[in-house]
Structures are given as C-alpha cells and as structure tokens.
Amino acid sequence: MGEQYGGDHQDFRGGEFNGDFTAKKVEYHQHGPAPTALDALPPKVAGFTGRGDQLAELLGAFDPVGGEAPGAVLVAAVSGLGGIGKTALAVEAAHEACDEGWFPGGVLFVNLHGYDDDRVTAEQALETLLRGLGTPPEHIPNGVDARAALYRSVLAARERELGAVLVLADNASAAEQVRPLHPGGVRHRLLATSRSKLPQLGARLLPLGELSPEEAYDLLDRALRIAAPGDTRVANEGEAAAELALLCGHLPLALQIAAALLVLDRDKPVAELVVELAESGDRLLHLDDGERSVRAAFDLSYQRLPAEQARLLRLLALAPGSEVTAEVVAALDGADVPPVRVLDALCRAHLVERGSGRGRWRLHDLVRVFGVGVVKGDVRLWEEGEGARERLLAFYCRWAGAADGRLRWLPGMQEPERFTDRAGALAWLDSERAGLVAVVQWAREERFAATAVLLSQCLAEYLDWRRSFDDKITVCGVAREAAHRAGDRVGEASAWNSLGIALQQTGRVGESVDAHTRARDLFQAIGDLPREAAAWSNLGSALQEAGRTDDAIDAHIRARDLFQAAGDRPREAMAWGNLGLALREAGRAEDAIAAHIRSRDLYQAAGDRHGEARGWNNLGGALWEAGRRNEAVEACEKALEGFREFEDWYGTGRTLSNLALAHQDAARPAEARTHFLQSADAYTRANALTEAAEARTWAEEITP
C-alpha cells in the first residue's frame, strides 16, 4: 500500500490490487475546548452612588474569610421595588469582590427575566450557566435535576482547578427559578436579585429601600457631570434638586430618568423640571425618557399579581395620608378583619412596605401615583375605588365621633361607643390623625362633602387638645366651603366657629373676630340658641385678645345668659370663667374673683374635673393680682393636680409658670427656676414650643 500523506486524501500510486477495490474517504474531527462565559459580568452602572451599608454587607457575605460558618454555602438575595437599583448594587458588589480576587474561577451572569411574559425557567437558566462553564451543548442533559447535578459537578471541578465562582442570577420572580442554581461546594457564591424577598431560599436577605435625600442628590449631580463635566445645575440649584429628588420618591430609576431629561435639555433649569412634575396630573407620564419608564417598571410587577393582591394595591393607593393602619386597610377592603395574608404577600413583593409601627402600612409615593393611574384609567375600577373611599369615610366618621364623645363626656352622659377612657380615644385619634385630616379634604368632592363636614366637627375638640391649629385651619376651611356650597348653614356656622378658635391661637386675631362674628350671625339667623351662645363666648375671647375689653365683657355676659337659660351648666361655667378673665383685664379684681369662684363651683357640680382645674387656675391668677398670695398658690396647686390627671400639658405648663412666678416673688430663686424648667417640659409635650422657649428663657435669667 502506498504511503499516507498529510491532508484529507491518500495516495495509492505504486500499489498492487487483486479483485474489486473500493476506497472510502474518512473524516477526522477533533473538538477544541468549548467557549466559556466566565467573565460575563455586566459593566458597572455609571454614576453609581450611595448604598454604602448594603455594599459592605454584600462584600462581607462574599469574603472567603469574612466570618461565615465553616463550610457554609452562601446565597444572598437583594430584593426591592422595581427601579430601586437592585441590579446596580449587585453588579457593583460583584466587581469589587472580583477586584479583591475572591472569585478566581470567574463570574457567571444570567438574567432570569422573572417579570417578562416569557420568563426563564430554572432548566433554561441551567443550560445557559452550563454553556457559560464551557459544557458542549450535546453534553447538556434534559430535565432540571440532571442539569443541576451536572452544573454542580462542573463547578466542583472548576473550584479544584481554578477556585471559587460567583453566580449572579438577576431579576428572579420566584424561588423555584433560583433554588436549582445553588452552586454547591464551600467557596462558590450565588447572588440573586428580585422584586420579591424570596424567604424560601434560606438566603441572606438584603431588602433595598429608596435612597437617602443626600444619596439622591448625589446621583443627580453625578449623572449630569458624567454627561458634561461642567454641568453644575444641581449644585447651583440645591433646593430645587432636593425637591426634584423628593418628587422622584428617591427612587434610582426615576432619578436617572429625571437626570436624562436634564441632560437632553442643557438649558432647562432644575426648577423648571420640578414645576413640570409638581403640576402634572400624572408624574409618571414625565418620568419616561423614551427607553426607561417608571410606569413600565411598576406595571411588570402589577401584571403578575393575583387578582386579590392587585385589588388591594389599587385600594391602598386611594388611602389618605402617608401610611395607614390595619383598621383602615380593612375599611377600604370592606372586610371585618384586616387582610393580613394579602398585605404580607404585597410586602414580600415590595409593593407595600411596613410603616412606622406594628400594624401600619405604607406605599412608596410613586407606587401610589401608579395605583391611582390604574384606577382612573378604568371606569369599573374607578367605581370600585369610590366605594372603598365611601366605606373609609363612614368608618372614620363613626369612630372619630365616638372618640370625640369620650373627650367631651361628663358623668350622667351616655357612654360613647368603643372608647372607655380619654386615653384610649386620644391614642386612636393620634394614630389616625394624618388620615383623618386628609379625608376631611374629600369634602371638596360633592359625593363625600356631607359626611366629610360631619367628620370635621368630630375633630375640633381633639385638634384643640393637641394644639394642632394648622391642621384645624385646614380642616375647618375645607368644611366651611363645602357646607356653604351645599347650603348647610349649621355646618357652615360650626366651621366658622371652630376656624375662629384656631385663628386666634395662631395670632390671627382680626380674622378670628371676623370668623366668630360670622358664626354668631348664622346661628342667630337659624335660631340655634345653644350654638349662638358658644359663638358669643368665642367672640368674647377674640375681642379680649384684640384689646376690646368692654366689648369682650358684653359678649361673655351674653353667652353666660344664653347658657344659663338653656340650663347648660358646664358651658355656663366656661362662660363665667371667660368673663372673669375679661374682668381681670379691665382691672375689676373682685368681680373677677367672684366670676372664677362661680365657674369653679359650676364645674364641680357638673362633675367636670378638667373644667374644675381650669377654674382653679383662673381663680389663682385673680387671687394673685388681688394680693392674696397664699390663696393663689393653693388654687394653682389644685389646678396642677387636675391638669396632670388629664394629661393637659398646656394647662400644666401654664400653672407651673404661675407657681414659678410666685416662688420668684417670694425670693425663692431655686424653686422658681425648677418650676420654669418643668413648665418648659410640659409646654413641649403640649406642642406649645413658643411658650416652652419663653419658660426656658425665664429660667436662665434667674440668678441663684
């Protein structure tokens, strides 16, 4: 046979052949190593900023000598709302870990597309990872279990040869997508990102919230300077930049889009974009730069929700205030008990967050905007939402009315529903205050006006008690306008009356006189004598504050006579007390003392312990001015006892100041200073910060 030469043929020259002869060409194939994708980590996000604590926690988890239990296989899961920056943080941490040399075996990256219509299954992900490890396609078996076993075997061999591998599984939507990707071994690490918390993985869980205001500002500044190093708009418009960050909810995606909009128009001031967002009926419409959209990011999460979760998310978006209690959630839902299971599911998906206390829930500001947009875009969903709002308003009106009844309760009155004491009523009102104030503003809508006006009347006493006069001005102003539009003269007059009290307390005395005059005239026209009497009493206090003492005395006498004629002893006692204050102002000390004694006695007869404390305090002031110092001190001490019993910190502060003045007059500086400081503390608890500052100043001025 002839010699074989190189190439793909044979030379038969010189050969001898007997019989038939067939020559067949033979092909030889030698497979080279399959390509790998072990440097597949995406590039760092340009302008990445903040997340220092979270980055340190991830790096601590990656560190091969970072203190994890010996032999532990670590899985970390970064979770958070769409657009919160999960992938950016994971990629940043992976790059830093590689720079430290912790993963000499390489990095594998797979996008699981967990919220797309064609999300990647675990079996498909394993095929991608095995190919990335250099496994020939024909050697990859079918079935998730077989692929997972081969995957772990290949990783074990790579660990022996080169070292640890980091696997980054991005954008998972469920634990079953990630669990089979567990790498095995003791040195490999798996990092997953998801919009859900994935507690089923047994992983180190790292939930992400929005950026801090400082981090959000830095992100905006860096983004503009990357595009143009000389762009100083954020630095030059610090306040506007902070407002822009707030309108973006400190959400990285929204901030990046806002920065891109500024980059596209380098002549646009930051303040101009702020105005566009603030005045837009739909902020999310603007948070779209053509390639990225906050609404689209949220919609991916929303579309995957089961029906009951999607419904509750929509209803929560309509809730008033920045956060709501579980009771409010139940009212919106129309359920007897809070839907805790559904709330927990939405919380795991980062669409709902736990609020400032147990049983409180909140939405990210932009999620709320998204939910409202979903409701407005569908007539059926809009009517569903209006029904939920009606339920909530009725819920608030019922329980605020009961709480108000407890605050006004005196012996002999019918026991209010639910609340057995003042402390319980105040605690409930405190917990719901933001929502209550917000819901009253629904009075601007005809559908809710009548009930919202009633709710405003239930809040008047409480807002006075907590000295929340700005909230009261807001509530009464909205209620007055709604009642006027509806022709509800009683509601309008009541709103004017309550508004006048708040205006006086905030120093707007002229407006207060006008408000009480309007209330008095309306009640007179209606023929409602008890409410007319209250308006006269409040008008008298405003007139006294305005320096019109004689007019104030006449107003208080008119109020006293009307209450007396109606047989309303507690309010007659109040009128006597107010009259006494005006008489003191007029220099009629003995008449004032007599008025305050009458006030105190009427309060005692009515069983009104808190009113009695006010009577003692007013009497103490009148006795002091009359030179009856010992009696005055005794009266103030009795007042102090009553105010403390009711946790009336404003009354406590005022009485302690009176006692401090008595000690100062008696040349007892140490006692005077102590009482002024105690007064300052009480005023602070009462949210009377101006009075608190004055009391501290007086204490500091005392020379021991």
Side-chain angles (χ1 to χ4, degrees):
M1 174 180 265
E3 293 181 25
Q4 182 176 347
Y5 295 88
D8 60 356
H9 66 279
Q10 290 187 349
D11 188 346
F12 296 102
R13 287 174 297 179
E16 294 184 7
F17 306 95
N18 297 312
D20 295 334
F21 161 66
T22 301
K24 182 178 181 181
K25 179 179 178 181
V26 179
E27 293 184 354
Y28 295 90
H29 297 280
Q30 179 178 1
H31 290 288
T36 65
L38 283 152
D39 295 305
L41 193 62
K44 292 184 178 184
V45 174
F48 179 86
T49 186
R51 305 297 193 196
D53 292 342
Q54 296 90 343
L55 189 58
E57 185 170 348
L58 278 182
L59 291 175
F62 291 159
D63 189 345
V65 292
E68 295 295 331
V73 176
L74 186 69
V75 179
V78 177
S79 62
L81 182 65
I84 206 69
K86 301 177 292 295
T87 301
L89 173 63
V91 168
E92 185 76 17
H95 275 287
E96 291 202 17
C98 290
D99 291 344
E100 293 290 336
W102 293 341
F103 297 104
V107 179
L108 291 166
F109 178 86
V110 59
N111 187 344
L112 298 175
H113 295 281
Y115 294 86
D116 294 350
D117 291 338
D118 54 345
R119 67 174 184 161
V120 175
T121 66
E123 186 173 357
Q124 292 169 330
L126 284 166
E127 179 179 359
T128 299
L129 293 171
L130 284 166
R131 285 174 177 264
L133 286 163
T135 306
E138 63 269 23
H139 291 172
I140 297 176
N142 292 323
V144 66
D145 292 338
R147 287 182 176 181
L150 178 59
Y151 164 72
R152 290 191 295 271
S153 297
V154 173
L155 281 174
R158 191 167 190 87
E159 181 181 347
R160 289 191 297 270
E161 295 171 7
L162 296 174
V165 172
L166 172 64
V167 181
L168 176 49
D170 189 37
N171 202 19
S173 63
E176 59 263 25
Q177 275 186 296
V178 180
R179 190 179 292 110
L181 312 186
H182 200 295
V186 296
R187 297 168 61 194
H188 302 308
R189 297 290 186 263
L190 170 62
L191 174 60
T193 72
S194 177
R195 298 185 184 194
S196 298
K197 291 182 180 177
L198 305 181
Q200 308 91 337
L201 288 179
R204 171 80 64 83
L205 300 180
L206 184 62
L208 288 188
E210 59 262 31
L211 297 174
S212 70
E214 296 76 18
E215 291 171 337
Y217 174 94
D218 197 30
L219 188 155
L220 288 170
D221 189 44
R222 288 192 185 194
L224 266 61
R225 289 180 186 272
I226 287 172
D231 194 335
T232 60
R233 279 178 289 176
V234 169
N236 294 341
E237 300 180 69
E239 290 187 10
E243 182 65 20
L244 177 59
L246 184 62
L247 288 169
C248 290
H250 300 134
L251 185 76
L253 175 60
L255 291 162
Q256 289 159 0
I257 292 172
L261 295 174
L262 291 170
V263 166
L264 287 171
D265 186 352
R266 293 186 179 176
D267 294 327
K268 174 178 285 192
V270 177
E272 185 176 323
L273 181 56
V274 167
V275 170
E276 290 176 5
L277 288 174
E279 295 183 353
S280 170
D282 183 357
R283 249 184 289 169
L284 299 188
L285 184 65
H286 290 269
L287 292 174
D288 185 330
D289 65 0
E291 293 185 2
R292 297 168 296 182
S293 163
V294 174
R295 175 174 278 114
F298 290 169
D299 197 53
L300 285 174
S301 297
Y302 175 75
Q303 294 299 334
R304 290 189 58 81
L305 292 176
E308 61 179 355
Q309 293 179 29
R311 174 180 178 273
L312 189 60
L313 182 67
R314 294 192 300 270
L315 299 185
L316 286 173
L318 305 176
S322 60
E323 62 179 40
V324 293
T325 60
E327 275 192 315
V328 167
V329 178
L332 286 165
D333 191 40
D336 294 330
V337 296
V340 175
R341 180 182 57 81
V342 182
L343 283 167
D344 284 341
L346 288 170
C347 190
R348 287 194 297 272
H350 289 281
L351 290 167
V352 172
E353 302 170 8
R354 296 192 183 276
S356 59
R358 186 172 180 82
R360 301 185 71 86
W361 304 88
R362 66 180 293 269
L363 295 183
H364 186 280
D365 188 36
L366 294 183
V367 174
R368 183 186 302 278
V369 173
F370 170 80
V372 170
V374 171
V375 172
K376 286 184 176 179
D378 185 302
V379 173
R380 179 182 59 83
L381 298 183
W382 179 83
E383 187 54 45
E384 173 190 76
E386 294 298 274
R389 293 172 72 200
E390 282 185 343
R391 288 193 297 272
L392 178 58
L393 186 52
F395 163 84
Y396 268 152
C397 210
R398 175 181 179 182
W399 296 122
D404 182 55
R406 176 52 66 185
L407 295 184
R408 299 175 186 271
W409 183 85
L410 294 173
M413 290 184 176
Q414 182 178 351
E415 289 285 341
E417 188 179 8
R418 177 175 179 171
F419 301 105
T420 58
D421 55 30
R422 289 177 62 87
L426 286 169
W428 185 85
L429 288 164
D430 286 343
S431 70
E432 299 290 357
R433 182 171 68 180
L436 289 163
V437 171
V439 163
V440 169
Q441 295 177 64
W442 293 356
R444 295 188 177 98
E445 302 172 54
E446 183 178 353
R447 180 169 183 163
F448 306 115
T451 310
V453 169
L454 288 175
L455 178 59
S456 74
Q457 296 167 5
C458 296
L459 298 180
E461 177 76 8
Y462 164 70
L463 293 173
D464 281 342
W465 184 264
R466 289 302 191 219
R467 302 188 66 77
S468 299
F469 297 120
D470 288 340
D471 279 347
K472 190 173 182 182
I473 288 171
T474 297
V475 163
C476 294
V478 172
R480 178 187 61 77
E481 292 170 4
H484 180 75
R485 285 196 305 270
D488 176 5
R489 293 197 293 171
V490 172
E492 183 182 357
S494 297
W496 274 119
N497 202 34
S498 293
L499 179 61
I501 295 172
L503 290 169
Q504 181 183 336
Q505 290 293 338
T506 53
R508 297 161 64 177
V509 179
E511 294 174 79
S512 175
V513 170
D514 180 63
H516 289 308
T517 301
R518 288 172 178 267
R520 179 203 62 190
D521 293 347
L522 278 168
F523 284 132
Q524 280 181 341
I526 297 166
D528 190 329
L529 291 179
R531 288 191 174 97
E532 181 192 339
W536 274 113
S537 182
N538 292 328
L539 176 58
S541 296
L543 289 167
Q544 183 179 337
E545 188 75 17
R548 297 166 58 182
T549 305
D550 291 341
D551 290 339
I553 290 172
D554 290 343
H556 288 312
I557 290 173
R558 184 67 180 272
R560 178 201 64 189
D561 293 346
L562 286 171
F563 284 133
Q564 201 171 62
D568 189 337
R569 294 294 175 260
R571 291 192 175 183
E572 182 189 346
M574 175 193 67
W576 274 110
N578 289 336
L579 176 59
L581 293 172
L583 291 168
R584 282 175 58 191
E585 190 76 23
R588 298 164 57 181
E590 293 303 320
D591 289 341
I593 290 172
H596 288 313
I597 290 173
R598 179 64 174 157
S599 173
R600 177 204 62 190
D601 292 346
L602 283 169
Y603 278 129
Q604 284 178 339
D608 186 345
R609 292 274 298 136
H610 183 250
E612 182 185 345
R614 289 200 302 270
W616 277 116
N617 185 70
N618 291 335
L619 178 58
L623 289 167
W624 183 267
E625 288 187 6
R628 297 159 63 175
R629 304 301 170 86
N630 291 336
E631 293 175 80
V633 169
E634 289 177 7
C636 286
E637 288 175 345
K638 288 181 179 179
L640 187 60
E641 179 182 340
F643 286 140
R644 283 174 168 165
E645 176 187 341
F646 280 83
E647 297 186 349
D648 179 349
W649 302 119
Y650 188 84
T652 298
R654 185 173 54 183
T655 304
L656 283 166
S657 284
N658 290 339
L659 288 169
L661 291 170
H663 285 300
Q664 195 171 26
D665 187 69
R668 294 190 290 266
E671 290 87 342
R673 188 174 190 279
T674 298
H675 279 74
F676 275 132
L677 291 174
Q678 291 176 347
S679 172
D681 290 342
Y683 276 135
T684 299
R685 296 183 71 175
N687 194 33
L689 302 184
T690 300
E691 291 90 335
E694 289 176 350
R696 289 193 184 92
T697 299
W698 291 334
E700 291 168 0
E701 290 175 351
I702 293 175
T703 302

